[in-house]
Amino acid sequence: MKYISILGSTGSIGTQTLDVVRGHSDKIKVSAITGNNNIELLRDQILEFHPELCCVMNKENASLLKEMLPPHIKTEIMAGMEGLVEAAEFDKSEIIVTAVSGMIGLKPTLAAIKKGKTIALANKETLVTGGSYIIDMAKKHNADIIPVDSEHSAIFQCLMANHKKSVNKIVLTASGGPFRGKNTEFLKNVTVEDALKHPNWSMGRKITVDSATLMNKGLEVIEAKFLFDVEPEQIEVVVHPQSIIHSGIEFCDHSTLAQLGLPDMRVPIQFALFYPDRVPNSYKSLSLFEIGNLTFEKPDMEVFKCLYLAFDSLKVGGTMPAVLNASNEVCVNLFLNKKISFLEIGNLNEKVMQLHIPKKIDCLETILEAEEFAVKTIKSILKYN
Ligand code: NDP
Ligand code: MG
């Protein structure tokens, strides 16, 4: 039996992870789950999966959840970052699925790495902010990182024959999001509702907006650089609207391997949970006859400047990707709350990067300071507290 912790069990990746567990309950058991606001769902998950620990980030919600549970339930309820770290370090858990959204995921993921856990990594912000520091810590503590993000899972699978040294380039595919092919004039007036209409994937709100700005692809470029130890110039972003080819590798002999599948996150989640084994499931089979055409386009990095900024932050290095990520997180929140326009997300990210003097990352505090810089800088630019 494999025991797992799911950080962010109430989210899109979290609930799909539980669906994978449902299909393999004879092989996987959930020992710890965490959430923030959705305590009704946490209650249902406790009643169905009987984890030993449940952490609710929001302390008031933690108290409410305790009151909502019937007396026979033995699950321990914890609150705050302390609880999130406890779930990440949970003794019994062999695999930690990091499915919280945003930079809040960094601390617990690092805690799990230090305990030598296997990380099923969905939270891309961890590698974007921590970069090679996280990779070095994982090596030091013998913690395997298995990517859950569909593109990185694809690349990881293409590299399973261990030809890492022979990689020419990574072909990172992108759906293009809801505004593919649109120009800046069009984007001036798009609304939150427009941005939340992703053509292929159903995901959390933050990542859905990031898919519309192409920041999500930018974050994935940064994640890929650190995960697969390649130079930014070796990463080619290809817009592929059908989201069937999840990404690929061109090797030095000009042979290209790619991984294909229907857009269903349960597939890479299951792969990460069972790696290196493959196990059957009841999901839909890919029919290329039904799909018909696979098409490819160049991304427009002038209109979608967040993707350009991501490449740029990698070239600068150090804390710059962390600053871009934190700035973007604040901007997406402001956009979702209708305080700034869609195009301001990229413009503000660019301004914050211009004002940042990057530092080398040698500890967690350096990353947290860089994130704080971004948050404070946006506040001072927009003049709010
Ligand atoms: P969701 O917004 O759907 O879920 C986020 C989860 O994190 C929820 O469980 C939420 O709890 C919890 N959470 C939110 N804020 C906090 C906080 N401040 N402290 C503690 N927990 C918090 O996100 P997704 O599942 O879409 O994405 C999760 C991560 O996976 C992201 O980093 C994303 O980039 C990555 N990812 C997602 C993919 C997808 O298909 N969705 C694909 C590839 C990567 P609650 O709901 O209870 O408030
Ligand atoms: Mg992805």
Side-chain angles (χ1 to χ4, degrees):
M1 186 65 83
K2 274 188 187 189
Y3 289 87
I4 67 169
S5 292
I6 308 172
L7 313 181
S9 63
T10 49
S12 160
I13 295 288
T15 50
Q16 293 182 86
T17 304
L18 286 170
D19 203 42
V20 172
V21 173
R22 242 177 231 120
H24 300 284
S25 53
D26 53 331
K27 299 185 193 77
I28 312 179
K29 203 168 161 7
V30 182
S31 14
I33 57 174
T34 83
N36 189 31
N37 286 323
N38 198 344
I39 46 175
E40 284 79 17
L41 185 54
L42 278 175
R43 177 202 47 206
D44 295 349
Q45 293 178 346
I46 289 174
L47 295 178
E48 182 179 356
F49 294 96
H50 304 285
E52 289 174 46
L53 174 70
C54 171
C55 164
V56 191
M57 190 65 180
N58 179 306
K59 294 194 174 157
E60 281 162 26
N61 283 342
S63 308
L64 288 174
L65 176 63
K66 273 185 201 169
E67 286 165 20
M68 283 157 62
L69 290 169
H72 70 275
I73 290 294
K74 301 272 184 300
T75 304
E76 184 188 351
I77 309 294
M78 287 186 75
M81 182 50 84
E82 194 193 338
L84 203 57
V85 169
E86 182 68 26
E89 294 181 334
F90 200 72
D91 258 352
K92 215 174 191 178
S93 297
E94 188 184 323
I95 303 176
I96 314 299
V97 182
T98 65
V100 289
S101 72
M103 52 195 172
I104 196 86
L106 178 66
K107 258 192 192 171
T109 308
L110 196 54
I113 286 175
K114 286 185 179 169
K115 291 278 173 188
K117 306 282 189 193
T118 294
I119 312 293
L121 185 80
N123 178 271
K124 58 190 79 186
E125 293 85 354
T126 300
L127 269 185
V128 169
T129 55
S132 45
Y133 173 70
I134 299 290
I135 297 292
D136 291 347
M137 291 302 268
K139 279 186 193 148
K140 183 174 164 193
H141 295 279
N142 268 329
D144 289 330
I145 300 180
I146 318 293
V148 164
D149 211 342
S150 56
E151 294 79 358
H152 304 77
S153 175
I155 297 160
F156 187 90
Q157 292 178 54
C158 293
L159 284 171
M160 272 171 77
N162 255 330
H163 285 149
K164 210 168 168 180
K165 286 203 182 74
S166 321
V167 171
N168 252 7
K169 67 175 178 186
I170 285 177
V171 181
L172 192 71
T173 53
S175 71
F179 306 138
R180 180 173 62 88
K182 303 296 186 203
N183 60 21
T184 308
E185 198 47 41
F186 179 91
L187 294 179
K188 269 184 190 160
N189 299 316
V190 295
T191 64
V192 171
E193 291 70 29
D194 298 330
L196 287 176
K197 279 182 209 139
H198 195 280
N200 303 341
W201 299 95
S202 155
M203 309 180 286
R205 284 156 63 87
K206 155 80 169 45
I207 183 174
T208 306
V209 174
D210 284 346
S211 300
T213 58
L214 290 200
M215 186 73 240
N216 182 49
K217 211 45 56 183
L219 298 178
E220 291 182 359
V221 167
I222 302 172
E223 192 184 10
K225 186 250 174 303
F226 294 114
L227 207 44
F228 305 113
D229 192 19
V230 291
E231 295 305 318
E233 302 76 42
Q234 286 176 283
I235 305 172
E236 179 176 60
V237 175
V238 176
V239 175
H240 164 49
Q242 297 81 16
S243 296
I244 297 297
I245 298 182
H246 296 311
S247 280
I249 298 276
E250 183 195 73
F251 293 96
C252 58
D253 59 357
H254 295 107
S255 165
T256 298
L257 286 190
Q259 186 259 338
L260 283 72
L262 290 168
D264 182 344
M265 282 308 295
R266 293 174 305 174
V267 177
I269 293 170
Q270 180 183 303
F271 176 82
L273 295 183
F274 285 101
Y275 173 79
D277 297 332
R278 289 200 184 265
V279 293
N281 58 34
S282 57
Y283 310 152
K284 198 170 173 229
S285 176
L286 169 69
S287 162
L288 288 174
F289 299 116
E290 265 176 44
I291 305 291
N293 291 309
L294 299 179
T295 59
F296 308 95
E297 298 160 19
K298 270 205 164 132
D300 186 339
M301 291 208 234
E302 268 179 41
V303 173
F304 297 93
K305 74 160 71 163
C306 288
L307 179 56
Y308 167 80
L309 293 176
F311 274 106
D312 197 43
S313 77
L314 267 186
K315 279 181 204 143
V316 176
T319 45
M320 197 55 99
V323 160
L324 171 60
N325 177 67
S327 163
N328 182 64
E329 207 165 310
V330 177
C331 289
V332 171
N333 243 325
L334 290 169
F335 171 69
L336 283 169
N337 290 310
K338 307 196 173 176
K339 301 271 195 273
I340 63 171
S341 70
F342 183 77
L343 284 177
E344 270 179 293
I345 299 174
N347 294 340
L348 278 166
N349 286 340
E350 189 173 28
K351 271 193 200 146
V352 175
M353 278 176 69
Q354 282 163 355
L355 293 169
H356 181 59
I357 300 163
K359 273 193 190 164
K360 186 175 179 299
I361 297 174
D362 45 18
C363 61
L364 179 63
E365 281 64 41
T366 316
I367 307 169
L368 299 178
E369 270 170 28
E371 290 178 346
E372 208 182 309
F373 167 85
V375 175
K376 280 191 177 153
T377 307
I378 295 197
K379 278 186 182 166
S380 80
I381 294 174
L382 295 179
K383 298 190 176 45
Y384 74 92
N385 284 307

